[in-house]
């Protein structure tokens, strides 16, 4: 089903009744425990993103609890599987905020899932962390977005790849909010760097046949393809593209490839040479990251997935909240918000991560990497990148108590029609 970016918010934000289906409980609940809910897809088309994030959630909470917990209390972790269904997101978020009465919710993969629960959690005054890379523009006192945004990653990826491959760029993207807005940012950065976005196409998340599009790309003769495809079905594009012999003649850069470990779902020959930009790669050569990867692999053994930005951000999002609780001396929402905005900073697997109090986003490192033999080789590092796109439209210091998503305003502020 096609999701129009200009009207999906109205439908996505409707709150359904509380779901009574059983949830997976990380450990027995106790009256004096702090409570955390994680709502992430472990089934459905987005499970390739959700499963590593859930594993990272367990590791983070287990490590905190093993170190004595927070304020002398253990964390009770409840994990819900919304099954890649927006209705279940709203139902589980309502349950977490009302009957579970959790201290924090760490949840959401797609922008549609975020926008279905963000206003709800704000209304129920339940602190919310969204730990997924996204299109930018959220300005919400109650919401912290720790994933990278286009102003941090796409702004680096586009000029680098254009300088390497050429100025004519064919853009393909998922047909929902993330894909549309990211495509707009790609077009802006292509033009800003003297390039030509020759064509932009959008695809519903269930599309698996990309034959007609590959023929269009062949006819357009671009220098490169920029992909913002999302989900398990869209992996078919990369296989079909390589089978048509295109990967050797028109290279691909992507704002999404690898965050669902897609590089392990296709062959090395199909993926070699692709360039991406994220705030984390498992291959980062730091002591903190090597120790994190070892702990993760020791914990999950043969079943341990490749660690991507989503998993690392989920782990770091939980630890940012935990650090703020320690600083505040309480899990009270407003006091934790004050501590986060002080700002809270941690040294995590991705490097130093600091909350930007103006936007409630993360100041973080960004890495450019090229895929070779199903591994990402880091080719550029950009230290402590600000969420410049969201800073154009959001100032929670000057105007606090907001609960908005300025996706249209952000594009206009950046000069994008």
């Amino acid at each position: 089903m096609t999701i129009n970016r200009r009207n999906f918010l109205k439908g996505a934000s409707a709150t359904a009744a509380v779901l009574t289906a059983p949830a997976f409980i990380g450990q027995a609940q106790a009256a004096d425990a702090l409570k955390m809910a994680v709502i992430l897809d472990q089934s459905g088309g987005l499970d390739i993103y959700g499963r590593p994030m859930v594993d990272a959630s367990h590791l983070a909470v287990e490590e905190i609890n093993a170190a004595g917990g927070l304020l002398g209390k253990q964390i009770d972790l409840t994990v819900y599987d919304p099954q890649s269904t927006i209705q279940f997101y709203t139902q589980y978020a309502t349950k977490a905020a009302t009957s579970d009465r959790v201290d924090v919710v760490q949840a959401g993969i797609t922008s549609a899932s975020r926008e279905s629960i963000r206003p709800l959690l704000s209304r129920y005054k339940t602190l919310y962390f969204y730990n997924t890379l996204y299109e930018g523009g959220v300005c919400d006192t109650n919401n912290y977005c720790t994933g990278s945004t286009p102003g941090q990653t796409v702004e680096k990826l586009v000029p680098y790849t254009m300088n390497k491959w050429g100025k004519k760029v064919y853009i393909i993207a998922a047909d929902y909010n993330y894909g549309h807005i990211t495509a707009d940012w790609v077009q802006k950065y292509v033009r800003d760097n003297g390039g030509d976005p020759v064509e932009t196409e959008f695809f519903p998340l269930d599309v698996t046949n990309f034959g007609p599009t590959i023929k269009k790309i062949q006819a357009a003769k671009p220098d490169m393809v920029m992909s913002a495809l999302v989900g398990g079905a869209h992996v078919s594009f990369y296989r079909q593209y390589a089978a048509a012999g295109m990967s050797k003649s028109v290279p691909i850069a992507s704002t999404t490839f690898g965050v669902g470990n897609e590089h392990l779902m296709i062959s090395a020959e199909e993926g070699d040479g692709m360039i991406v930009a994220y705030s984390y790669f498992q291959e980062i050569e730091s002591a903190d990251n090597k120790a994190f990867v070892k702990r993760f692999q020791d914990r999950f053994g043969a079943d341990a997935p490749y660690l991507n930005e989503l998993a690392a951000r989920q782990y770091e999002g939980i630890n940012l909240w935990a650090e703020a609780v320690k600083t505040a001396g309480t899990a009270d929402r407003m006091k934790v918000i004050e501590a986060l905005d002080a700002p809270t900073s941690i040294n995590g697997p991705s490097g130093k991560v600091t909350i930007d109090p103006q936007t409630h986003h993360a100041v973080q490192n960004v890495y450019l990497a090229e895929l070779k033999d199903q591994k990402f080789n880091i080719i550029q590092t950009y230290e402590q990148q600000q969420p410049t796109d969201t800073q154009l439209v959001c100032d929670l210091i000057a105007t606090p108590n907001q609960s908005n998503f300025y996706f249209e305003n952000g594009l206009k502020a950046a000069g994008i029609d």
Side-chain angles (χ1 to χ4, degrees):
M1 179 178 70
T2 300
I3 302 172
N4 187 294
R5 66 171 174 158
R6 304 187 190 275
N7 62 24
F8 97 101
L9 289 174
K10 181 178 178 182
S13 297
T15 303
V18 175
L19 189 67
T20 56
F24 175 80
I25 307 298
Q27 59 187 72
Q29 291 189 353
D32 62 347
L34 300 179
K35 296 181 180 180
M36 176 186 297
V38 163
I39 311 172
L40 291 167
D41 307 292
Q42 298 161 75
S43 57
L46 298 171
D47 57 336
I48 62 172
Y49 307 114
R51 290 195 302 265
M53 296 177 76
V54 168
D55 288 345
S57 302
H58 284 294
L59 180 64
V61 171
E62 288 168 6
E63 289 180 347
I64 293 168
N65 284 341
L70 295 175
L71 312 178
K73 300 177 181 180
Q74 295 284 282
I75 300 173
D76 268 328
L77 174 63
T78 303
V79 180
Y80 291 105
D81 178 12
Q83 303 169 46
S84 303
T85 302
I86 296 301
Q87 180 184 7
F88 288 171
Y89 263 102
T90 60
Q91 293 173 342
Y92 284 134
T94 302
K95 185 176 188 300
T98 57
S99 59
D100 294 349
R101 299 183 66 82
V102 300
D103 297 291
V104 64
V105 172
Q106 309 249 356
I109 296 176
T110 65
S111 298
S113 66
R114 181 196 67 244
E115 289 307 302
S116 72
I117 65 176
R118 183 185 59 78
L120 184 156
L121 294 170
S122 180
R123 186 164 64 250
Y124 286 123
K125 298 187 181 343
T126 303
L127 190 59
Y128 173 36
F129 275 71
Y130 177 62
N131 300 313
T132 305
L133 65 92
Y134 87 112
E135 66 279 1
V138 169
C139 188
D140 188 335
T141 299
N142 189 65
N143 182 198
Y144 289 84
C145 298
T146 68
S148 59
T149 66
Q152 295 170 314
T153 55
V154 182
E155 190 268 343
K156 310 295 187 303
L157 180 63
V158 169
Y160 181 90
T161 51
M162 285 176 58
N163 287 335
K164 183 178 178 68
W165 294 326
K167 303 292 187 180
K168 294 177 63 178
V169 182
Y170 197 109
I171 303 165
I172 56 175
D175 192 11
Y176 75 103
N177 231 32
Y178 172 80
H180 279 272
I181 298 174
T182 300
D184 284 341
W185 283 109
V186 172
Q187 290 171 12
K188 168 184 166 51
Y189 294 134
V190 168
R191 293 189 179 104
D192 286 352
N193 288 276
D196 177 17
V198 296
E199 184 69 52
T200 302
E201 283 194 75
F202 299 99
F203 303 89
L205 295 179
D206 59 355
V207 167
T208 58
N209 179 17
F210 292 90
T213 293
I214 292 171
K215 289 180 180 178
K216 289 181 183 179
I217 295 171
Q218 290 170 329
K221 296 182 173 21
D223 296 312
M224 59 178 283
V225 169
M226 180 67 71
S227 168
L229 298 176
V230 171
H234 285 181
V235 175
S236 301
F237 168 78
Y238 304 103
R239 297 191 182 107
Q240 293 165 24
Y241 193 78
M246 292 295 291
S247 57
K248 297 185 184 304
S249 57
V250 182
I252 299 174
S254 178
T255 68
T256 51
F257 185 87
V259 295
N261 297 344
E262 295 91 340
H263 62 299
L264 302 177
M265 300 177 191
I266 65 175
S267 69
E269 184 178 5
E270 291 167 332
D272 277 358
M274 197 177 306
I275 295 178
V276 296
Y278 301 119
S279 67
Y280 175 82
F281 291 93
Q282 180 170 298
E283 291 85 356
I284 293 173
E285 290 285 336
S286 70
D288 284 343
N289 184 53
K290 288 180 178 179
F292 169 64
V293 172
K294 184 177 188 308
R295 295 196 308 273
F296 189 87
Q297 292 177 343
D298 287 347
R299 168 64 176 81
F300 296 102
D303 296 328
Y306 172 89
L307 284 160
N308 51 41
E309 172 172 332
L310 305 189
R313 274 290 169 263
Q314 185 73 7
Y315 178 87
E316 291 173 339
I318 290 172
N319 278 284
L320 280 164
W321 172 77
E323 186 66 24
V325 169
K326 292 176 188 175
T327 300
T330 175
D332 175 79
R333 182 181 72 107
M334 290 310 300
K335 287 186 167 43
V336 171
I337 288 173
E338 289 175 10
L340 285 164
D341 292 350
T344 291
S345 179
I346 63 169
N347 290 313
S350 69
K352 184 178 180 181
V353 183
T354 302
I355 294 297
D356 170 32
Q358 176 185 332
T359 63
H360 284 190
H361 285 58
V363 178
Q364 56 195 310
N365 294 345
V366 168
Y367 305 89
L368 273 173
E370 183 173 354
L371 186 61
K372 177 66 175 175
D373 295 329
Q374 297 183 308
K375 292 184 179 180
F376 287 107
N377 300 310
I378 295 172
I379 51 181
Q380 289 276 8
T381 300
Y382 305 89
E383 300 282 347
Q384 298 300 283
Q385 297 302 297
Q386 298 278 339
T388 53
D389 40 23
T390 304
Q391 288 173 342
L392 289 171
V393 294
C394 180
D395 191 343
L396 291 166
I397 299 171
T399 311
N401 302 319
Q402 294 191 58
S403 179
N404 296 307
F405 178 26
Y406 293 120
F407 67 97
E408 293 290 354
N409 294 32
L411 297 175
K412 290 177 181 176
I416 304 172
D417 294 330

